[in-house]
Amino acid sequence: MTAPGSTVRITLVRGDITEQDVDVVVNAANSSLLGGGGVDGAIHRRGGPAVLADCRRLRASHYGKGLPTGRAVATTAGNLPARHVVHTVGPVYRREADQSDLLASCYRESLRVAVELGARTVAFPAISTGVYGWPMDDGARIAVTACREAAGPPLTEVRFVLFDRQAYEHFARALHGTG
Ligand code: ADP
């Protein structure tokens, strides 16, 4: 699926983020950068020890206290088909506090880092919608809006990789107004 009328195509696929043959795969990391469950676990499993070694170097240098929420940083992609992994830390969903801008920041900052790396194609998971509890409909709307606003040349494709049918349908609604 592709949104018409933009220079950067925003596409949706159902599947596994670790299988995407793109320049940059974005990881829904936690601030420790040392691995976790969900997307993070899958990326470290498939990417192998080179990804963790780079993360450890980041913790030992610029990010001694961890990567702050809403920020993004790049490592090698190790054994993944992608060229780089960009790790970003989504906010944990809290009903009593609006953290939408922090979630949007994950998408904006990841795209900024991807452009710095010379990427043309970037694949995102639905950040914060797993263990971090963000409702999928709202998470999809924030993701699509942030990427529409922030993605420009030299990027050619921003791909959302959705693990299940329900996630895919929420993203389709956010992108096209239909599901
Ligand atoms: P967070 O901690 O930011 O909520 P999770 O990794 O727990 O991140 O989940 C983010 C989203 O990614 C969830 O919707 C989850 O279903 C989905 N997901 C989990 N594993 C994969 C995968 N291998 N590829 C794509 N999406 C995945």
Side-chain angles (χ1 to χ4, degrees):
M1 268 199 205
T2 304
S6 58
T7 49
V8 183
R9 291 186 313 141
I10 298 183
T11 60
L12 307 180
V13 301
R14 255 189 82 177
D16 183 336
I17 191 100
T18 66
E19 292 173 1
Q20 305 303 308
D21 188 4
V22 285
D23 296 326
V24 164
V25 157
V26 176
N27 182 18
N30 60 56
S31 75
S32 81
L33 291 175
L34 300 179
V39 170
D40 203 9
I43 283 179
H44 279 280
R45 259 193 315 278
R46 289 281 298 267
V51 179
L52 187 59
D54 261 10
C55 287
R56 288 214 168 100
R57 272 192 284 278
L58 288 167
R59 283 301 305 274
S61 54
H62 287 72
Y63 297 100
K65 291 182 179 159
L67 182 66
T69 305
R71 300 268 297 278
V73 69
T75 67
T76 179
N79 300 324
L80 293 167
R83 288 171 48 214
H84 311 272
V85 175
V86 168
H87 305 260
T88 189
V89 182
V92 176
Y93 182 73
R94 286 165 53 203
R95 201 189 292 266
E96 65 279 8
D98 181 9
Q99 303 184 94
S100 304
D101 197 55
L102 270 180
L103 183 55
S105 172
C106 290
Y107 291 97
R108 286 195 298 265
E109 287 294 297
S110 297
L111 290 173
R112 187 179 63 72
V113 172
V115 166
E116 276 175 18
L117 293 165
R120 299 278 189 275
T121 53
V122 180
F124 280 102
I127 299 165
S128 286
T129 64
V131 172
Y132 283 4
W134 207 289
M136 188 61 80
D137 54 348
D138 199 46
R141 185 184 56 75
I142 291 166
V144 167
T145 304
C147 289
R148 272 196 177 128
E149 286 171 6
L155 296 173
T156 59
E157 182 185 0
V158 172
R159 183 183 306 170
F160 292 108
V161 182
L162 294 323
F163 217 34
D164 58 37
R165 193 168 65 101
Q166 195 212 10
Y168 185 95
E169 286 172 359
H170 282 298
F171 272 76
R173 258 194 295 280
L175 188 58
H176 304 290
T178 60

